[in-house]
């Protein structure tokens, strides 16, 4: 499926007031961060996009793909849906080996499974520090491994052009790698996030308030400079994190 | 009057689906609710609290199979709902062995399936999935997209004409789409209602409370471990 554009038309916030924009558009290779305090409507926004809302959800938002109302089959059949949503709660339930599971998924999509299993595993291992191997049981994967495999599976086997990630940053996913890969693969990715690094790495920032989108920000040159410094510090923190994990004594 | 019959394994979320349907229709549409359960059920209180005025009738099947009990009381139930001047009767069946299907030849037969039951669960249920018009799949937010796709494929393996709706019944996402079906539904004609499928036979001396094990101690419809020739046997008294 060729996705050239995702458009979100505004709806209403929790009080019923109209959002103060008409629409916003996201293109392949773009990343958007959805930020805001708990209860501000971040998850509702990704759910609207995932369900391809047509003014039939509480927010009354409307979602278009390539300037058109997406066909009903997108909403009915998850194998035709171009959108995949991964949250902290999303889990694998299957009591199978990783490779058997991936093959089963490829089969249900009528895909030739040749080469897809190693490709999916390679991508998953780019995203997480704990190596996932084909002979592992799905049920013993850690949170980070699960999320990484889920993202890789939805991109390679699910072939999803639009990926929605709802607060998965705590799952040990490598942020910068995830970002770089998105751009490379020409996907549209929306991150619901509390992580300033992820938020600043995105092209667009949607600021949520009281159930509505209050601000749409684009990362400007000044922020890009600040971002460089913040990333350096974030790397420093992750180095310290690794050292603490290894049992080292930390001193400056 | 329109008729909706919901079935599905325990804890699939049948009552949550019912409540979400009511939330959208109440009080505009006059609804009656009939629940067939085995030992205990809490709908009378729950629905009475959220939707005062909706007539609720609970039938406990006790030692009778709940689906058989459902068939026995269905006619009375329809008359009761018509006396209530309801426009819609929702029947929820506890559904235990999952081999029966309580659906009738009119109205909507809905099987409620939980994604948490595992990818192969639709294959294990037979007519409850096979004869349903609609499958409502719940708890979708907890499971990977990959498993959702495989699950869907398995439902279609059992019943390729079923219409499948994925819902998150706690928040009610997806229910609106299911309700479009209700709009297009025809009124039932009670005089020509029959079961869609034949329920499995359940007549033997275990059914009447005999506890002995081994087919030698029973009569009626019995079965040996290794049966040569016919798979099923009948032994008279």
């Amino acid at each position: 499926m060729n996705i050239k554009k995702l458009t979100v038309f505004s709806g209403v916030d929790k009080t019923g007031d109209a959002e103060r924009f008409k629409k916003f558009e996201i293109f392949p290779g773009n990343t958007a961060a959805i930020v805001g305090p708990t209860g501000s409507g971040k998850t509702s926004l990704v759910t609207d996009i995932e369900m391809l809302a047509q003014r039939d959800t509480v927010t009354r938002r409307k979602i278009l793909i390539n300037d058109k109302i997406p066909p009903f089959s997108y909403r009915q059949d998850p194998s035709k849906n171009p959108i995949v949503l991964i949250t902290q709660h999303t889990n694998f339930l299957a009591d199978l080996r990783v490779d058997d599971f991936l093959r089963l998924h490829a089969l249900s999509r009528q895909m030739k499974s040749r080469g897809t299993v190693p490709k999916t595993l390679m991508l998953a291992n780019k995203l997480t520090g704990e190596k996932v191997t084909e002979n592992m049981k799905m049920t013993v994967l850690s949170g980070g491994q699960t999320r990484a495999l889920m993202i890789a599976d939805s991109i390679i086997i699910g072939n999803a052009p639009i990926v929605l990630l709802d607060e998965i940053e705590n799952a040990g996913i490598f942020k910068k790698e995830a970002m770089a890969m998105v751009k490379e693969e020409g996907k549209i990715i929306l991150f619901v996030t509390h992580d300033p690094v992820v938020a600043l790495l995105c092209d667009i920032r949607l600021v949520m308030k009281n159930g509505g989108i209050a601000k749409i920000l684009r990362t400007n040159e000044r922020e890009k400079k600040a971002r460089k410094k913040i990333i350096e510090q974030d790397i420093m923190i992750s180095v310290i994190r690794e050292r603490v994990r290894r049992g080292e004594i930390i001193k400056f | 009057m329109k008729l909706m019959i919901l079935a599905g394994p325990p804890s699939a979320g049948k009552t949550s689906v019912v409540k979400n349907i009511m939330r959208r229709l109440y009080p505009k549409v006059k609804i009656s609710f009939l629940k067939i359960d085995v030992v205990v059920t809490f709908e009378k209180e729950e629905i009475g609290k959220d939707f005062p005025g909706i007539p609720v009738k609970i039938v406990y099947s006790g030692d009778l199979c709940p689906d058989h009990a459902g068939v026995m009381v269905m006619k009375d139930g329809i008359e009761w709902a018509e006396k209530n001047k309801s426009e819609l009767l929702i029947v929820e069946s506890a559904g235990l062995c999952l081999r029966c299907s309580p659906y009738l030849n009119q109205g909507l037969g809905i099987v409620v399936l939980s994604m948490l039951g595992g990818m192969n669960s639709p294959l294990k249920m037979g007519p409850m999935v096979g004869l349903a018009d609609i499958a409502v799949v719940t708890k979708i937010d907890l499971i990977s997209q990959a498993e959702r796709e495989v699950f869907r494929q398995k439902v279609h393996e059992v019943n390729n004409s079923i219409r499948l709706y994925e819902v998150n019944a706690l928040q009610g996402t997806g229910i609106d789409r299911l309700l479009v079906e209700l709009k297009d539904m025809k009124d039932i004609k009670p005089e020509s209602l029959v079961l869609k499928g034949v329920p499995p036979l359940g007549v033997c001396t275990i059914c009447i409370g005999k506890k002995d094990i081994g087919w030698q101690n029973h009569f009626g419809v019995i079965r040996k471990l290794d049966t040569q020739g016919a798979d099923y046997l009948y032994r008279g008294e």
Side-chain angles (χ1 to χ4, degrees):
Chain A
M1 186 188 328
N2 198 358
I3 300 237
K4 298 186 202 86
K5 199 202 295 184
L6 175 78
T7 314
V8 177
F9 284 88
S10 63
V12 294
D13 65 13
K14 279 183 190 167
T15 340
D17 295 328
E19 291 174 304
R20 277 182 301 181
F21 67 98
K22 194 167 159 269
K23 60 173 185 181
F24 71 85
E25 296 171 330
I26 308 178
F27 301 92
N30 274 177
T31 48
I34 302 168
V35 298
T38 309
S40 60
K42 301 186 294 294
T43 297
S44 295
L45 177 57
V46 286
T47 315
D48 281 348
I49 298 174
E50 198 234 352
M51 293 190 56
L52 297 164
Q54 299 301 321
R55 309 224 182 273
D56 55 357
T57 60
V58 278
T59 63
R60 319 306 296 170
R61 289 192 191 106
K62 183 175 168 169
I63 314 294
L64 295 189
I65 290 179
N66 299 345
D67 290 322
K68 286 197 203 87
I69 295 179
F72 191 61
S73 62
Y74 282 17
R75 321 203 312 187
Q76 271 264 310
D77 184 349
S79 69
K80 295 207 177 84
N81 194 332
I83 299 173
V84 56
L85 169 66
I86 298 169
T87 75
Q88 297 157 303
H89 309 293
T90 318
N91 259 306
F92 289 122
L93 200 71
D95 187 15
L96 290 173
R97 270 169 55 131
V98 169
D99 53 349
D100 288 336
F101 176 78
L102 294 175
R103 255 180 236 121
L104 184 69
H105 185 203
L107 192 73
S108 84
R109 286 196 148 249
Q110 279 139 22
M111 238 175 121
K112 293 246 158 47
S113 59
R114 209 152 225 259
T116 48
V117 173
K119 207 172 154 195
T120 310
L121 281 174
M122 206 176 76
L123 182 55
N125 284 319
K126 263 196 211 167
L127 294 174
T128 173
E130 317 156 75
K131 199 167 163 48
V132 185
T133 60
E134 55 182 18
N135 58 3
M136 281 177 168
K137 277 275 195 175
M138 303 288 293
T139 40
V140 303
L141 299 180
S142 73
Q145 287 171 321
T146 300
R147 246 49 76 188
L149 187 63
M150 221 174 261
I151 297 173
D153 167 78
S154 56
I155 287 176
I156 304 288
I157 298 174
N159 205 14
I162 302 170
V163 183
L164 310 173
L165 302 175
D166 193 351
E167 289 186 43
I168 59 154
E169 60 248 22
N170 297 329
I173 298 274
F174 292 157
K175 307 161 203 170
K176 276 185 72 186
E177 282 74 2
M179 289 289 186
M181 186 196 69
V182 176
K183 305 240 152 149
E184 212 173 287
E185 296 270 339
K187 307 277 175 191
I188 293 175
I189 300 211
L190 282 94
F191 294 84
V192 171
T193 188
H194 293 295
D195 185 325
V197 178
V198 174
L200 290 172
L201 276 168
C202 288
D203 308 306
I204 307 168
R205 206 148 82 232
L206 304 166
V207 186
M208 307 301 299
K209 200 179 160 189
N210 190 33
I213 302 173
K215 273 186 194 165
I216 301 175
L217 304 174
R218 275 164 212 280
T219 313
N220 60 25
E221 288 310 311
R222 231 159 126 200
E223 270 192 338
K224 278 183 189 160
K225 264 189 209 151
R227 174 168 86 185
K228 233 178 124 191
K229 272 197 187 148
I230 295 167
I231 292 174
E232 280 165 17
Q233 296 199 348
D234 192 54
I235 291 171
M236 195 181 82
I237 296 276
S238 41
V239 170
I240 294 172
R241 184 183 301 125
E242 276 316 304
R243 288 176 55 197
V244 171
R245 276 183 174 181
R246 281 198 299 264
E248 290 178 25
I249 306 295
I250 306 297
K251 56 173 184 271
F252 278 95
Chain B
M1 186 176 69
K2 294 177 178 181
L3 173 68
M4 237 177 183
I5 300 179
L6 286 96
S11 304
K14 295 183 289 297
T15 307
S16 285
V17 171
V18 168
K19 282 207 230 161
N20 272 290
I21 292 172
M22 287 179 176
R23 200 156 290 145
R24 278 157 180 77
L25 300 179
Y26 176 83
K28 255 196 288 178
V29 179
K30 290 195 74 181
I31 306 173
S32 283
F33 178 63
L34 172 65
K35 164 94 194 220
I36 295 135
D37 217 317
V38 183
V39 187
V40 69
T41 182
F42 304 97
E43 276 82 355
K44 198 151 193 161
E45 295 75 22
E46 288 180 28
I47 287 170
K49 208 167 67 192
D50 290 357
F51 311 100
I54 290 191
V56 177
K57 193 148 215 130
I58 309 280
V59 176
Y60 291 123
S61 63
D63 293 336
L64 182 60
C65 153
D67 282 324
H68 283 218
V71 178
M72 298 288 175
V73 303
M74 188 69 79
K75 206 161 174 265
D76 294 346
I78 288 167
E79 282 166 18
W80 165 74
E82 284 186 328
K83 225 183 269 166
N84 296 336
K85 300 213 176 358
S86 289
E87 295 157 275
L88 172 68
L89 169 62
I90 302 177
V91 180
E92 185 188 326
S93 158
L96 289 183
C97 74
L98 314 173
R99 297 301 184 274
C100 279
S101 87
Y103 319 121
L104 301 178
N105 57 343
Q106 301 167 34
L108 278 183
I110 301 175
V111 60
V112 181
L113 300 165
S114 153
M115 275 282 349
L116 293 181
M119 288 185 295
N120 285 328
S121 62
L123 299 180
K124 298 175 186 168
M125 277 177 227
M128 190 171 271
V129 176
L131 293 175
D133 303 299
I134 291 174
V136 172
V137 184
T138 61
K139 307 181 193 181
I140 48 162
D141 51 325
L142 302 176
I143 298 297
S144 70
Q145 180 103 357
E147 282 160 295
R148 276 163 67 181
E149 287 173 22
V150 177
F151 190 90
R152 187 179 183 87
Q153 194 212 358
K154 305 265 177 191
V155 171
H156 282 295
E157 262 174 47
V158 180
N159 181 340
N160 62 14
S161 62
I162 205 165
R163 305 185 291 282
L164 196 146
Y165 295 87
E166 292 191 329
V167 304
N168 171 350
L170 282 182
Q171 277 140 28
T173 40
I175 295 279
D176 290 308
R177 284 165 199 176
L178 171 65
L179 286 180
V180 177
E181 295 256 359
L182 198 72
K183 244 190 245 161
D184 303 337
M185 229 168 107
K186 287 201 189 82
D187 285 340
I188 51 165
K189 296 191 190 98
E191 60 288 354
S192 56
L193 277 171
V194 288
L195 279 177
K196 259 191 179 174
V198 181
L201 218 50
V203 189
C204 68
T205 30
I206 302 166
C207 301
I208 57 160
K210 229 176 147 208
K211 280 181 171 172
D212 309 69
I213 59 164
W215 61 271
Q216 296 87 344
N217 298 311
H218 293 279
F219 55 86
V221 180
I222 57 168
R223 211 199 144 164
K224 296 181 189 177
L225 182 58
D226 294 307
T227 307
Q228 296 196 330
D231 270 352
Y232 299 94
L233 294 178
Y234 177 82
R235 201 164 72 116
E237 187 176 3

